[in-house]
């Protein structure tokens, strides 16, 4: 029903920006909250940002510190994560995710996952 495909990852220097994009290649009539998670070796996957299907009231993890912006475009079936002022601690595999409601993502779970895209920030 839902198939998520991420793009936009890469290797950058400290302070640079990246824009991740996620496309639902199999959209359905069902509404989904969307979010971004990240994971590094030896650590559990953690939620970065989450937004309801209608796009209002985005939520961000504390470590974002105002640097990231999540946006959803239902006309194009995409969700994006604009990341500015990237730091080495942001290095991780970033996953797009979908769930029934935003609260599901905020508590660290999801119903659907993308394959992940690598973000590497070097000093």
């Amino acid at each position: 029903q839902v198939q998520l495909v991420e793009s936009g990852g890469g290797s950058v220097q400290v302070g640079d920006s990246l824009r991740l994009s996620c496309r639902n290649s199999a959209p359905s009539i069902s509404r989904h909250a969307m979010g971004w998670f990240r994971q590094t070796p030896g650590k559990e996957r953690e939620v970065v940002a989450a937004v309801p299907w209608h796009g209002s009231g985005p939520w961000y993890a504390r470590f974002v510190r105002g640097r990231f912006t999540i946006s959803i475009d239902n006309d194009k079936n995409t969700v994006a994560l604009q990341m500015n002022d990237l730091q080495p601690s942001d290095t991780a595999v970033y996953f797009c995710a979908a769930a029934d409601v935003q609260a599901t993502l905020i508590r660290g779970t999801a119903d659907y996952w993308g394959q992940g895209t690598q973000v590497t920030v070097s000093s």
Side-chain angles (χ1 to χ4, degrees):
Q1 181 178 353
V2 175
Q3 296 181 6
L4 306 176
V5 182
E6 303 100 331
S7 62
S11 298
V12 299
Q13 298 294 311
V14 169
D16 286 351
S17 297
L18 279 176
R19 184 177 179 85
L20 305 182
S21 183
C22 172
R23 176 175 61 87
N24 179 7
S25 62
S28 70
I29 192 174
S30 299
R31 298 170 178 175
H32 293 92
M34 303 296 296
W36 290 91
F37 288 68
R38 70 185 189 185
Q39 187 170 27
T40 57
K43 297 178 64 178
E44 293 189 355
R45 193 170 299 183
E46 60 183 352
V47 61
V48 177
V51 64
W53 70 269
H54 50 70
S56 297
W59 177 94
Y60 301 95
R62 288 185 178 182
F63 60 74
V64 169
R65 299 188 300 276
R67 300 172 299 136
F68 300 173
T69 301
I70 187 172
S71 60
I72 190 168
D73 187 341
N74 288 309
D75 291 334
K76 296 182 174 61
N77 300 305
T78 60
V79 61
L81 184 69
Q82 176 66 43
M83 302 187 294
N84 299 322
D85 192 27
L86 286 163
Q87 303 298 312
S89 58
D90 295 316
T91 295
V93 176
Y94 284 72
F95 297 88
C96 179
D100 53 349
V101 295
Q102 185 187 34
T104 298
L105 300 170
I106 294 174
R107 64 171 175 259
T109 61
D111 299 319
Y112 303 94
W113 299 94
Q115 82 287 351
T117 185
Q118 177 70 46
V119 171
T120 301
V121 185
S122 301
S123 60

